[in-house]
Structure formats: structure tokens, C-alpha cells
Amino acid sequence: DTVDCEGRSLLKTFVAASVRRGESVHVFGFEIPEEEFRAGFDPDVAAQLLYQDGFTDPLCWNGKTGGFRVEEFSVLGVVTRLQRGPVGSATIILDSLSWLLLHRPVPALCQTLAQIPRAAANAGLDFCLRVTRIVVLLHGDLHPLGLVDTLHSLARAVVWVGPAPEGMRSKEDAHQLASMLQRKGSGQEEYFSILTGFTLKAFGEPTRNTPPADDICSPQVDTAAYLTFNLQLSDTERQARDRVPLPFHFSAQKKSSLLEASAGTGKIYYEPDATDDLDEEDPDDDLDV
Amino acid sequence: QGKFTLLCNTKTNGSFLVHHFLSFYLKAGCKVCFVALLQSFSHYNIIAQKLGVSLTAAKERGQLVFLEGLKSCFGVLFGEEQPGGQTSPFQWISKDGSNLKTMYEFVRTSLMPSASDSWKCPVLLVDELSVLLSLGVRPVDVLDFVHYCRVAVCSQLKGNVVVLVHSSDDSEDEENELVVKSLCHQSNLILWAEGLATGFCKDVHGQLKIIQKGSPKLRAERNLLRIYQYKIQDKNVTFFARGMSAAVL
């Protein structure tokens, strides 16, 4: 996401969907407090969340225990946390990866992300956890483009969230535009809005013949309505306009009138002044050219 | 309560917002910790007096904890001893590898409610954060400082944090932009004071963009954006819709 359009609510819809599928959801939250993350979910969904609190004391400044520290974000540390949850399939949520990227070296982070599913599956004899997906929130405008591209190549699917153009937003409230980039397949764009309890409502793809950029520029009010003159043409007016001959249009009538004029004897009368010296060979002699 | 407000200024001076919040919270009876890195105490005191608040009196009452950056930095750099042998909140400026933890601890202890005082919700004001970057603090450390202040003040004490930063779109100060954008992501309310694109004007001093982040409980998670123009007067600031200045109409 970017500053203009936050993607956390979309992240929460992923959480809600995973819980409804019956998976256990492990949230590693660094950016917002736990209550704020849990707010808005249905009570039964919120009860299912396993929140690892990386917000309160990630750097151990307060010296508290029990929270998730940023050093713990390694394969081993994460799996230890996962083991506290039930077995079965699980979804891991990172809120947000941007925060981690500022505090951890990038290569280590990428390796951790890639190794978590395998490590979780082989964690112990009696413990088998299938990590079905890892969903991370990334503030795309905080990082250099190269880094963002690197992370894209790690991911199986990338969803960009952006504000919907003005025209769409006026029709329905709360619109966001997501452009999906599946790694195997073409990108597609879709409008959506998020309903209560974090369910997603899609509004289909934007129509291609009106590019979104134009919609932003087009004014919302109908300026033609306030004009003192008429911009539209009725059918009778259009017919009348079509009957008017254009000045460059050469009709038979016009041709005859021109021919008549040439038939009459035109003559130029010229009376020279007393001071004029008329030079027959160069009539423009007095013109300083 | 529990809100994080970000004040931003671009091509103009947004400190009138800081003075407003300072006097507003003091009048409201909140316990205020003011980290002033930009100006001296007397500067703020004079302006606060114009707005009807005495900072000296508030300090004596224990309502205001004033951390004067200009003075404290000097003390650390020239090796003056802290009273009571404590480490100064500005220990980091001596480049001994420490981060802003000392400053955070100062904020936390000064805003901790004690049994004796009866002030309302605690408030942390910072003017301004960009100065820290100029003093050589890494952006990650600045963000950590703000993060911990949010944890302590917003989340644990249910107070408010108001932070002023400087920003400009076309600047090449990447560190500052990183801090500003990260804070934009974290904040609940952004007040963005901008100079006019057309240049200085006698009757319109700039425009204020108010971005209210949608609360998670609301169905429509949508950022509310309002733009006003303002004129700073002797004691207050008048706001009006764009193009509706009294001088124009």
C-alpha cells in the first residue's frame, strides 16, 4: 500500500477469510497495538487470532518479557512461536514487513520468509504445521524500488492497493482499487470495498475505454448546465445547420454568379497626382522595397 | 484519546500549530511533556503568554515538563554534570553509540501519572523531529523513538502524541522523506500546512490539509481529506475555504 490508500483493512480481510476456512492465524504485529488490530473483527474471529505482540517492546527498551522481539524474527524464533498454537494448517500475517525491513538486514529477512513453511512442517515429531500462506503488508512507498521488486519476486501473488478514481467513488462509498499481479499470469485490476466484519465486495474490473487517469481529471459537476449559451443541437437545428452552404463550397449557383461578374467590363480609373512620377517599367519604385 | 497526530509543514512555517496544541492541552488540564528542539524556552513562553497560558506557571505546577533541546545539548557536549548523576536525555548527541532510548525514558518517566497529581490524559509534543535527523540520528532510530512513544503514551497511558516534522515533496533528503512517510502510515490525523503554490500572499498565509484516517471500527475505511486556507493573525488563526479570503471577496 501507499500513504494515499492504506492496505491494512485488506490484510484484515485475508485474516477473516483464513479464520473462516478454519485455519489458525498467527499475526506478527509490529506497527499497531493488538487492540487496534483486533478492532472491527467479529468476536468469534477475533478469538481465533494468535497475536504475537511485537508492538509493545520490540527492541527491549522497557525490559519486559513475553512480547515478540525483533531479534526473534528468525526461522527458529518464529517456529517456536508457531508451536504455541494448534496443529493443522496455518496462515502467517506480518504487519508490517516495512517495519521489519528497517530493522533487519534484507537477505536474512528474505531467507527467513522462504524457510518458514518448511521449518514449520519439520519442527517436531508430534508437531506438524502446514503453513498455507504468508501474508505480509508492505508500505511500498517507503522502500527503494529495487528492494520492492526483489520482494515481489519472492511472492507468489502481489496485490497493489490504490485509491479508486473520483468517478467510481462517487457512485458507491468507500472504494479502493487493487491491482493484482499473479506471478504466473497477467496482472488484473479490480475495484473493491470492505464491508463490516472485513468481508470483501468486488465491483469488477475497471472498463478499459475510460482510463482511470481521465476520470480523475474530469470535473464532477456538469459545467454545461450553467452556460449562458447553448452547446447542444436539436435535430431541427442540426438540419438547418446542414443546409447552410459553406464559404468554400463551390456550387453551380456560385459558379454562374462569378462568371457573370467576369462578363461585365471592369475598369480601373487612375488619376495621378501632380507630384507622382510614374515609372512604367517599375511601378513600385516609390515603395522603398 | 490514544491518538497520534502528525503535523507537517511544506514550504512554510507550521509552528503555529505547535503553539496552538501546547496552549490547548495546557488549558484543557492535560499533563504535557514538550520536547522542544527548535527554539528556546523563552520563545515558547512569550508566544504561550499571548495565547493566554504561562509556561513558567505550568512548569511550577508540574503540569508541563519542558525538555529544552538547545540547552541540554550544550550541557552534554561540554561535559556538564547532570544533577543527581543521571544520564541526560540527550546522551546520544555525544556520539557514544547510544540511541534515543534515554530520551524515550525521560518522556516516559515524566508522563507517568503519579498519585499526587490530578492532570488529565498525558500528551507528548515534539517540535520538531526533523532536527534529530540533522543532528545525525539515523532515521530508524528516530522511528524507534516515535514507536516507543506511541507505545507508552498512546497505547499504555491512553494519551496523545503530537509531532511536528518538516517535509517537502521535491527535496532530495531521502532520510527525512522516509521518516515523514512512515509517520504518515502510523498517524491517525495529519495536519499538513503548505505554503501557497503561487507564492507569498499578504492575506492568505498558506493552506492546511487535514487528513483524518478512517478508524478501524468504521465500515468505510476511508481517509477524510479537507483543505482550508488560513491567515495567521496576532492571537489566532482564521481558516476559510479555498479562495474565500476576506481580502478577495
Side-chain angles (χ1 to χ4, degrees):
Chain A
D1 65 349
T2 57
V3 170
D4 299 326
C5 185
E6 55 87 47
R8 186 164 284 124
S9 43
L10 184 62
L11 184 78
K12 287 186 178 182
T13 62
F14 282 116
V15 173
S18 289
V19 170
R20 286 197 197 96
R21 276 197 301 270
E23 298 170 359
S24 57
V25 179
H26 295 263
V27 183
F28 292 84
F30 297 96
E31 219 159 71
I32 54 169
E34 185 175 351
E35 312 87 68
E36 203 179 318
F37 192 87
R38 285 181 187 272
F41 283 118
D42 293 336
D44 50 334
V45 175
Q48 291 284 312
L49 291 184
L50 298 157
Y51 194 89
Q52 310 295 342
D53 189 2
F55 173 75
T56 323
D57 200 6
L59 304 173
C60 233
W61 282 9
N62 286 340
K64 284 186 189 151
T65 51
F68 190 79
R69 280 176 295 117
V70 66
E71 298 96 72
E72 273 185 76
F73 197 83
S74 61
V75 177
L76 197 65
V78 171
V79 170
T80 324
R81 292 288 170 148
L82 293 182
Q83 277 173 333
R84 297 184 191 174
V87 293
S89 48
T91 301
I92 297 178
I93 306 283
L94 290 183
D95 178 19
S96 68
L97 189 62
S98 298
W99 195 90
L100 279 170
L101 281 171
L102 290 177
H103 291 84
R104 303 286 292 169
V106 182
L109 207 56
C110 292
Q111 275 180 4
T112 309
L113 285 178
Q115 286 169 4
I116 284 174
R118 194 146 37 95
N122 308 327
L125 290 173
D126 55 341
F127 183 81
C128 181
L129 189 69
R130 203 162 57 81
V131 178
T132 47
R133 59 182 63 74
I134 302 178
V135 186
V136 301
L137 177 68
L138 180 76
H139 302 310
D141 48 354
L142 292 186
H143 307 289
L145 276 179
L147 179 56
V148 177
D149 286 344
T150 314
L151 292 165
H152 284 184
S153 65
L154 272 179
R156 194 158 294 151
V158 181
V159 183
W160 274 101
V161 187
E166 289 290 331
M168 273 302 280
R169 215 180 301 168
S170 59
K171 254 187 276 172
E172 304 270 341
D173 56 340
H175 261 306
Q176 284 162 312
L177 176 70
S179 83
M180 223 95 72
L181 298 168
Q182 293 271 344
R183 206 165 123 195
K184 288 167 191 159
S186 58
Q188 71 183 83
E189 292 193 357
E190 203 171 327
Y191 292 114
F192 70 96
S193 83
I194 287 159
L195 308 177
T196 333
F198 296 105
T199 45
L200 201 64
K201 186 178 177 194
F203 289 91
E205 296 176 30
T207 43
R208 282 285 153 217
N209 48 8
T210 52
D214 285 356
D215 283 359
I216 293 167
C217 303
S218 72
Q220 290 218 301
V221 286
D222 185 16
T223 42
Y226 301 107
L227 292 178
T228 51
F229 50 87
N230 194 7
L231 271 180
Q232 272 85 35
L233 275 179
S234 65
D235 283 345
T236 49
E237 282 169 335
R238 189 182 302 278
Q239 282 166 11
R241 190 187 67 171
D242 288 345
R243 272 201 292 276
V244 176
L246 297 171
F248 51 82
H249 198 80
F250 206 72
S251 63
Q253 188 191 359
K254 210 170 178 180
K255 190 177 172 184
S256 62
S257 72
L258 280 172
L259 284 174
E260 272 170 34
S262 65
T265 52
K267 194 168 183 180
I268 299 170
Y269 294 98
Y270 175 63
E271 283 178 34
D273 285 345
T275 53
D276 276 2
D277 55 334
L278 200 64
D279 187 356
E280 284 297 327
E281 284 181 358
D282 187 7
D284 295 335
D285 186 35
D286 55 337
L287 283 182
D288 275 353
V289 283
Chain B
Q1 288 200 341
K3 290 279 185 281
F4 176 59
T5 307
L6 181 70
L7 313 175
C8 253
N9 52 23
T10 306
K11 289 184 200 156
T12 186
N13 190 347
S15 53
F16 70 95
L17 293 167
V18 174
H19 299 303
H20 160 74
F21 276 107
L22 182 60
S23 58
F24 170 76
Y25 281 125
L26 286 176
K27 277 179 196 163
C30 298
K31 172 130 185 161
V32 179
C33 174
F34 187 26
V35 180
L37 304 166
L38 206 60
Q39 301 279 3
S40 64
F41 175 76
S42 53
H43 172 92
Y44 291 109
N45 194 20
I46 289 166
I47 294 172
Q49 261 172 5
K50 253 195 157 167
L51 297 173
V53 184
S54 167
L55 293 192
T56 330
K59 225 164 126 177
E60 278 164 10
R61 284 200 302 269
Q63 190 187 3
L64 172 74
V65 180
F66 194 93
L67 180 62
E68 193 171 350
L70 293 176
K71 221 177 235 173
S72 307
C73 287
F74 187 83
V76 173
L77 284 176
F78 292 92
E80 281 170 27
E81 281 295 308
Q82 282 283 309
Q86 300 161 329
T87 48
S88 157
F90 284 90
Q91 194 57 45
W92 47 268
I93 206 168
S94 58
K95 293 271 167 61
D96 58 353
S98 54
N99 44 23
L100 299 177
K101 192 178 167 185
T102 45
M103 200 150 96
Y104 156 69
E105 271 165 0
F106 176 84
V107 168
R108 193 172 60 121
T109 46
S110 58
L111 286 180
M112 270 301 166
S114 60
S116 58
D117 58 29
S118 57
W119 306 113
K120 279 187 241 162
C121 71
V123 175
L124 169 69
L125 268 163
V126 183
D127 179 28
E128 68 166 354
L129 213 58
S130 307
V131 172
L132 292 177
L133 290 174
S134 312
L135 288 171
V137 183
R138 290 185 308 145
V140 176
D141 289 333
V142 175
L143 289 174
D144 285 342
F145 170 67
V146 177
H147 180 99
Y148 268 91
C149 288
R150 278 173 61 215
V151 172
V153 181
C154 293
S155 174
Q156 288 170 357
L157 302 173
K158 298 285 171 228
N160 294 330
V161 175
V162 181
V163 169
L164 177 75
V165 288
H166 176 84
S167 156
S168 66
D169 293 330
D170 49 354
S171 82
E172 300 192 341
D173 190 352
E174 287 175 11
E175 295 191 334
N176 190 30
E177 291 308 300
L178 173 68
V179 169
V180 172
K181 275 185 184 159
S182 308
L183 295 180
C184 283
H185 275 292
Q186 294 167 5
S187 58
N188 304 106
L189 173 69
I190 307 173
L191 302 180
W192 202 303
E194 290 172 316
L196 291 179
T198 45
F200 177 76
C201 172
K202 198 174 61 149
D203 292 301
V204 184
H205 288 142
Q207 66 176 21
L208 188 71
K209 229 186 322 189
I210 304 174
I211 305 168
Q212 176 97 49
K213 297 284 184 73
S215 94
K217 284 162 196 120
L218 283 177
R219 193 179 82 96
E221 184 108 359
R222 178 174 152 193
N223 296 347
L224 229 82
L225 175 73
R226 280 165 294 172
I227 301 180
Y228 297 103
Q229 291 179 332
Y230 63 84
K231 182 186 180 188
I232 304 172
Q233 285 162 338
D234 203 18
K235 279 189 182 172
N236 58 349
V237 182
T238 45
F239 289 94
F240 36 85
R242 276 184 288 180
M244 295 290 187
S245 162
V248 179
L249 295 177

